[in-house]
Amino acid sequence: MYGENKKDGAGLCAYLLDPSVEGWQSKFDGTGHMGFVGKTGAIIGIALDNTGDFTGGADKEDHLTIKRVNGVQLKTQKIEGGFMTEDEEWKQVHIKFDLADMKCDVKLDGKTIMDNIEFGDIKIPSKLCLAVCGAATDKDFRIAVNDVKLENMDEEEIHNPIEPDPTPNPDPNPSKPASSKPVVPGMNFSFAHSPANNGGHATPRVWNGTPLSLIHI
C-alpha cells in the first residue's frame, strides 16, 4: 500500500469463499469499507487494516484482523510499522489454515503474527476459492497484490511446485499413498502499490483439494 496519506487507503483483505454458493463469483454485495462483510459465498477473511475501519475504529489502525463473513471478529493484532510501503517495496503474507484442528496461522514478511487462531464452528467445504479485496478513497493511493498462490501442506513436508489439477489423479498406483488426514490449504500473496477500485475484488483462485505447493513469490 502506497500513498501520501495512509488514511486514503482502508487496506486489503484476503478471504475464502465457498464456490458451491450461487453468486459467489458474481454478487459483490458485501458491506464495510472493503466490501467483505456479508459478501455472498464468503467464509472468513484476514484483513490488513490500514485505517482501523475494518477492525473497529481509528484507534485500531495498523491491525491485522481475522473476521467471519457475518462480522464476528476472531482475532486482531497491532502491527508495529503498519502496512504502508515505499516505491518498489513489497510485503509478503502467508496464511495457513489447519482443517484438522480448525485453526489458522498468519505470517508477515516471514514473522509469525498469529498462531493457532481458532475459527470455531465455521464449516470449511472441500472445494474452496481464494479472493482478495481492497479499498482506497483517493485515486492516487495505490494497492496491489503481486501474486496469490495456494498450497497444500502435508505435515512438515512441502512438495515441489506443481500446478493444480482439476481432476483426481488417474494413476491407479500412485507413487505416494494418499494421506488420511485433512489437507491443509494455505495462501501466499505479496502486496504493494497499483491502481485499486474502492471495494474492488481480485479475480478468485480456486483450490479443489488436489495437492498444491508453495511457490515463492
Short mmCIF file of all heavy atoms in Angstrom, two decimals, residues 80-117:
data_model
loop_
_atom_site.label_atom_id
_atom_site.label_comp_id
_atom_site.label_asym_id
_atom_site.label_seq_id
_atom_site.Cartn_x
_atom_site.Cartn_y
_atom_site.Cartn_z
N GLU A 80 3.26 -3.24 14.41
CA GLU A 80 4.15 -2.08 14.53
C GLU A 80 4.74 -1.75 13.16
O GLU A 80 5.27 -2.61 12.47
CB GLU A 80 5.27 -2.37 15.53
CG GLU A 80 4.78 -2.59 16.96
CD GLU A 80 4.03 -1.39 17.53
OE1 GLU A 80 4.36 -0.25 17.11
OE2 GLU A 80 3.12 -1.60 18.36
N GLY A 81 4.65 -0.51 12.78
CA GLY A 81 5.16 -0.09 11.48
C GLY A 81 4.11 -0.12 10.40
O GLY A 81 4.31 0.46 9.32
N GLY A 82 2.99 -0.83 10.65
CA GLY A 82 1.88 -0.85 9.71
C GLY A 82 2.17 -1.57 8.41
O GLY A 82 3.08 -2.40 8.32
N PHE A 83 1.39 -1.24 7.39
CA PHE A 83 1.43 -1.96 6.12
C PHE A 83 1.86 -1.08 4.94
O PHE A 83 1.94 -1.56 3.81
CB PHE A 83 0.06 -2.55 5.81
CG PHE A 83 -0.52 -3.36 6.94
CD1 PHE A 83 -1.59 -2.89 7.68
CD2 PHE A 83 0.02 -4.60 7.27
CE1 PHE A 83 -2.13 -3.64 8.72
CE2 PHE A 83 -0.50 -5.35 8.31
CZ PHE A 83 -1.58 -4.86 9.04
N MET A 84 2.11 0.18 5.18
CA MET A 84 2.49 1.07 4.09
C MET A 84 3.87 0.69 3.56
O MET A 84 4.74 0.23 4.31
CB MET A 84 2.49 2.52 4.55
CG MET A 84 1.12 3.04 4.96
SD MET A 84 0.00 3.21 3.55
CE MET A 84 0.70 4.64 2.74
N THR A 85 4.06 0.86 2.25
CA THR A 85 5.32 0.52 1.61
C THR A 85 5.91 1.73 0.90
O THR A 85 5.22 2.72 0.61
CB THR A 85 5.13 -0.60 0.57
OG1 THR A 85 4.23 -0.13 -0.46
CG2 THR A 85 4.54 -1.85 1.22
N GLU A 86 7.19 1.62 0.60
CA GLU A 86 7.85 2.61 -0.24
C GLU A 86 7.73 2.18 -1.70
O GLU A 86 7.26 1.08 -2.01
CB GLU A 86 9.33 2.73 0.16
CG GLU A 86 9.55 3.20 1.60
CD GLU A 86 9.06 4.62 1.83
OE1 GLU A 86 9.03 5.39 0.85
OE2 GLU A 86 8.71 4.93 2.98
N ASP A 87 8.18 3.04 -2.59
CA ASP A 87 8.14 2.73 -4.01
C ASP A 87 8.96 1.46 -4.28
O ASP A 87 10.10 1.33 -3.81
CB ASP A 87 8.72 3.90 -4.80
CG ASP A 87 8.49 3.76 -6.29
OD1 ASP A 87 7.47 3.17 -6.68
OD2 ASP A 87 9.35 4.24 -7.05
N GLU A 88 8.38 0.52 -5.01
CA GLU A 88 9.01 -0.74 -5.39
C GLU A 88 9.26 -1.66 -4.19
O GLU A 88 10.03 -2.61 -4.29
CB GLU A 88 10.34 -0.51 -6.14
CG GLU A 88 10.18 0.27 -7.44
CD GLU A 88 9.22 -0.42 -8.41
OE1 GLU A 88 9.17 -1.66 -8.43
OE2 GLU A 88 8.51 0.29 -9.14
N GLU A 89 8.63 -1.40 -3.06
CA GLU A 89 8.76 -2.28 -1.89
C GLU A 89 7.56 -3.21 -1.83
O GLU A 89 6.43 -2.80 -2.12
CB GLU A 89 8.85 -1.45 -0.61
CG GLU A 89 8.95 -2.30 0.66
CD GLU A 89 8.86 -1.49 1.92
OE1 GLU A 89 8.63 -0.27 1.83
OE2 GLU A 89 8.98 -2.07 3.02
N TRP A 90 7.81 -4.46 -1.44
CA TRP A 90 6.72 -5.44 -1.33
C TRP A 90 6.76 -6.09 0.05
O TRP A 90 7.82 -6.27 0.64
CB TRP A 90 6.86 -6.53 -2.39
CG TRP A 90 6.67 -6.03 -3.79
CD1 TRP A 90 7.62 -5.51 -4.61
CD2 TRP A 90 5.44 -5.97 -4.51
NE1 TRP A 90 7.06 -5.13 -5.80
CE2 TRP A 90 5.73 -5.41 -5.77
CE3 TRP A 90 4.13 -6.34 -4.21
CZ2 TRP A 90 4.75 -5.21 -6.74
CZ3 TRP A 90 3.14 -6.15 -5.17
CH2 TRP A 90 3.46 -5.58 -6.42
N LYS A 91 5.59 -6.44 0.53
CA LYS A 91 5.47 -7.22 1.75
C LYS A 91 4.81 -8.56 1.41
O LYS A 91 3.99 -8.63 0.50
CB LYS A 91 4.63 -6.48 2.81
CG LYS A 91 5.28 -5.21 3.35
CD LYS A 91 4.42 -4.55 4.41
CE LYS A 91 5.06 -3.28 4.96
NZ LYS A 91 6.25 -3.58 5.79
N GLN A 92 5.20 -9.61 2.13
CA GLN A 92 4.65 -10.93 1.85
C GLN A 92 3.82 -11.43 3.04
O GLN A 92 4.23 -11.31 4.19
CB GLN A 92 5.76 -11.94 1.57
CG GLN A 92 5.21 -13.30 1.11
CD GLN A 92 6.30 -14.30 0.80
OE1 GLN A 92 7.04 -14.69 1.67
NE2 GLN A 92 6.40 -14.69 -0.46
N VAL A 93 2.67 -11.96 2.71
CA VAL A 93 1.76 -12.52 3.71
C VAL A 93 1.59 -14.00 3.45
O VAL A 93 1.41 -14.43 2.31
CB VAL A 93 0.38 -11.83 3.65
CG1 VAL A 93 -0.56 -12.41 4.71
CG2 VAL A 93 0.52 -10.33 3.84
N HIS A 94 1.69 -14.80 4.51
CA HIS A 94 1.47 -16.24 4.41
C HIS A 94 0.41 -16.63 5.43
O HIS A 94 0.55 -16.36 6.62
CB HIS A 94 2.76 -17.01 4.68
CG HIS A 94 2.57 -18.49 4.68
ND1 HIS A 94 3.10 -19.31 5.66
CD2 HIS A 94 1.89 -19.32 3.85
CE1 HIS A 94 2.76 -20.57 5.41
NE2 HIS A 94 2.03 -20.59 4.33
N ILE A 95 -0.67 -17.23 4.94
CA ILE A 95 -1.77 -17.66 5.81
C ILE A 95 -1.96 -19.15 5.66
O ILE A 95 -2.06 -19.67 4.55
CB ILE A 95 -3.07 -16.93 5.45
CG1 ILE A 95 -2.86 -15.41 5.49
CG2 ILE A 95 -4.20 -17.33 6.39
CD1 ILE A 95 -3.99 -14.62 4.88
N LYS A 96 -1.99 -19.86 6.78
CA LYS A 96 -2.17 -21.31 6.77
C LYS A 96 -3.44 -21.67 7.53
O LYS A 96 -3.65 -21.23 8.66
CB LYS A 96 -0.97 -22.00 7.42
CG LYS A 96 -1.14 -23.52 7.55
CD LYS A 96 0.01 -24.14 8.32
CE LYS A 96 -0.23 -25.62 8.59
NZ LYS A 96 0.85 -26.20 9.42
N PHE A 97 -4.28 -22.49 6.90
CA PHE A 97 -5.48 -22.99 7.54
C PHE A 97 -5.29 -24.47 7.87
O PHE A 97 -5.01 -25.28 6.99
CB PHE A 97 -6.70 -22.83 6.62
CG PHE A 97 -7.13 -21.41 6.42
CD1 PHE A 97 -6.61 -20.66 5.39
CD2 PHE A 97 -8.03 -20.81 7.28
CE1 PHE A 97 -6.99 -19.34 5.20
CE2 PHE A 97 -8.43 -19.50 7.09
CZ PHE A 97 -7.90 -18.76 6.07
N ASP A 98 -5.44 -24.81 9.12
CA ASP A 98 -5.35 -26.19 9.58
C ASP A 98 -6.77 -26.74 9.67
O ASP A 98 -7.52 -26.43 10.60
CB ASP A 98 -4.67 -26.24 10.95
CG ASP A 98 -4.42 -27.67 11.43
OD1 ASP A 98 -5.16 -28.57 11.01
OD2 ASP A 98 -3.48 -27.86 12.22
N LEU A 99 -7.15 -27.55 8.68
CA LEU A 99 -8.52 -28.05 8.61
C LEU A 99 -8.79 -29.15 9.62
O LEU A 99 -9.94 -29.47 9.91
CB LEU A 99 -8.83 -28.55 7.20
CG LEU A 99 -8.69 -27.51 6.08
CD1 LEU A 99 -9.19 -28.07 4.77
CD2 LEU A 99 -9.42 -26.23 6.43
N ALA A 100 -7.73 -29.77 10.14
CA ALA A 100 -7.92 -30.82 11.14
C ALA A 100 -8.32 -30.22 12.48
O ALA A 100 -9.24 -30.70 13.15
CB ALA A 100 -6.65 -31.65 11.28
N ASP A 101 -7.63 -29.15 12.87
CA ASP A 101 -7.87 -28.53 14.18
C ASP A 101 -8.70 -27.25 14.08
O ASP A 101 -8.96 -26.62 15.11
CB ASP A 101 -6.54 -28.22 14.86
CG ASP A 101 -5.77 -29.48 15.19
OD1 ASP A 101 -6.40 -30.52 15.46
OD2 ASP A 101 -4.52 -29.43 15.17
N MET A 102 -9.07 -26.86 12.84
CA MET A 102 -9.87 -25.65 12.62
C MET A 102 -9.18 -24.42 13.24
O MET A 102 -9.73 -23.71 14.07
CB MET A 102 -11.27 -25.83 13.18
CG MET A 102 -12.06 -26.94 12.52
SD MET A 102 -12.39 -26.61 10.76
CE MET A 102 -13.71 -25.42 10.90
N LYS A 103 -7.93 -24.21 12.81
CA LYS A 103 -7.15 -23.08 13.28
C LYS A 103 -6.42 -22.46 12.09
O LYS A 103 -6.33 -23.06 11.01
CB LYS A 103 -6.13 -23.50 14.33
CG LYS A 103 -6.73 -24.10 15.60
CD LYS A 103 -5.63 -24.54 16.55
CE LYS A 103 -6.22 -25.15 17.81
NZ LYS A 103 -5.16 -25.61 18.76
N CYS A 104 -5.88 -21.28 12.28
CA CYS A 104 -5.08 -20.68 11.22
C CYS A 104 -3.91 -19.91 11.81
O CYS A 104 -3.93 -19.48 12.97
CB CYS A 104 -5.92 -19.77 10.32
SG CYS A 104 -6.52 -18.27 11.08
N ASP A 105 -2.86 -19.78 10.99
CA ASP A 105 -1.65 -19.04 11.35
C ASP A 105 -1.44 -17.96 10.30
O ASP A 105 -1.78 -18.14 9.13
CB ASP A 105 -0.42 -19.95 11.37
CG ASP A 105 -0.61 -21.19 12.23
OD1 ASP A 105 -1.33 -21.10 13.24
OD2 ASP A 105 -0.04 -22.24 11.88
N VAL A 106 -0.84 -16.86 10.71
CA VAL A 106 -0.56 -15.76 9.79
C VAL A 106 0.87 -15.28 9.99
O VAL A 106 1.30 -15.05 11.13
CB VAL A 106 -1.53 -14.58 10.00
CG1 VAL A 106 -1.25 -13.49 8.96
CG2 VAL A 106 -2.98 -15.03 9.91
N LYS A 107 1.60 -15.14 8.89
CA LYS A 107 2.95 -14.58 8.92
C LYS A 107 2.99 -13.35 8.02
O LYS A 107 2.34 -13.30 6.97
CB LYS A 107 3.98 -15.59 8.43
CG LYS A 107 4.19 -16.78 9.36
CD LYS A 107 5.28 -17.70 8.82
CE LYS A 107 5.53 -18.87 9.75
NZ LYS A 107 6.61 -19.75 9.25
N LEU A 108 3.78 -12.37 8.42
CA LEU A 108 4.01 -11.18 7.62
C LEU A 108 5.51 -11.01 7.45
O LEU A 108 6.24 -10.88 8.44
CB LEU A 108 3.40 -9.95 8.30
CG LEU A 108 3.58 -8.61 7.58
CD1 LEU A 108 2.89 -8.62 6.23
CD2 LEU A 108 3.04 -7.47 8.44
N ASP A 109 5.97 -11.07 6.20
CA ASP A 109 7.40 -10.99 5.91
C ASP A 109 8.19 -12.01 6.71
O ASP A 109 9.27 -11.73 7.24
CB ASP A 109 7.94 -9.59 6.17
CG ASP A 109 7.47 -8.59 5.13
OD1 ASP A 109 7.16 -9.00 4.00
OD2 ASP A 109 7.41 -7.38 5.45
N GLY A 110 7.65 -13.22 6.83
CA GLY A 110 8.33 -14.32 7.49
C GLY A 110 8.20 -14.35 9.00
O GLY A 110 8.63 -15.32 9.63
N LYS A 111 7.60 -13.34 9.58
CA LYS A 111 7.44 -13.27 11.04
C LYS A 111 6.03 -13.71 11.43
O LYS A 111 5.05 -13.21 10.89
CB LYS A 111 7.70 -11.85 11.53
CG LYS A 111 7.55 -11.70 13.04
CD LYS A 111 7.78 -10.26 13.48
CE LYS A 111 7.57 -10.09 14.97
NZ LYS A 111 7.78 -8.66 15.40
N THR A 112 5.94 -14.63 12.38
CA THR A 112 4.63 -15.10 12.83
C THR A 112 3.92 -14.00 13.60
O THR A 112 4.42 -13.48 14.60
CB THR A 112 4.77 -16.34 13.74
OG1 THR A 112 5.36 -17.41 12.97
CG2 THR A 112 3.40 -16.80 14.24
N ILE A 113 2.73 -13.64 13.11
CA ILE A 113 1.92 -12.60 13.75
C ILE A 113 0.82 -13.24 14.60
O ILE A 113 0.53 -12.79 15.70
CB ILE A 113 1.29 -11.67 12.70
CG1 ILE A 113 2.39 -11.06 11.82
CG2 ILE A 113 0.45 -10.59 13.37
CD1 ILE A 113 3.38 -10.21 12.56
N MET A 114 0.20 -14.29 14.06
CA MET A 114 -0.84 -15.02 14.77
C MET A 114 -0.58 -16.50 14.64
O MET A 114 -0.16 -16.96 13.58
CB MET A 114 -2.23 -14.67 14.22
CG MET A 114 -2.64 -13.24 14.41
SD MET A 114 -4.32 -12.94 13.81
CE MET A 114 -4.50 -11.19 14.15
N ASP A 115 -0.84 -17.25 15.70
CA ASP A 115 -0.54 -18.67 15.71
C ASP A 115 -1.69 -19.44 16.36
O ASP A 115 -2.14 -19.09 17.45
CB ASP A 115 0.77 -18.90 16.49
CG ASP A 115 1.25 -20.34 16.40
OD1 ASP A 115 1.08 -20.96 15.33
OD2 ASP A 115 1.78 -20.84 17.40
N ASN A 116 -2.16 -20.46 15.65
CA ASN A 116 -3.22 -21.34 16.18
C ASN A 116 -4.48 -20.57 16.60
O ASN A 116 -5.02 -20.78 17.68
CB ASN A 116 -2.70 -22.16 17.36
CG ASN A 116 -1.70 -23.22 16.93
OD1 ASN A 116 -1.79 -23.78 15.84
ND2 ASN A 116 -0.74 -23.49 17.79
N ILE A 117 -4.94 -19.69 15.72
CA ILE A 117 -6.16 -18.94 16.00
C ILE A 117 -7.36 -19.81 15.61
O ILE A 117 -7.51 -20.22 14.46
CB ILE A 117 -6.19 -17.62 15.21
CG1 ILE A 117 -4.94 -16.79 15.52
CG2 ILE A 117 -7.46 -16.85 15.55
CD1 ILE A 117 -4.73 -16.48 16.97
#
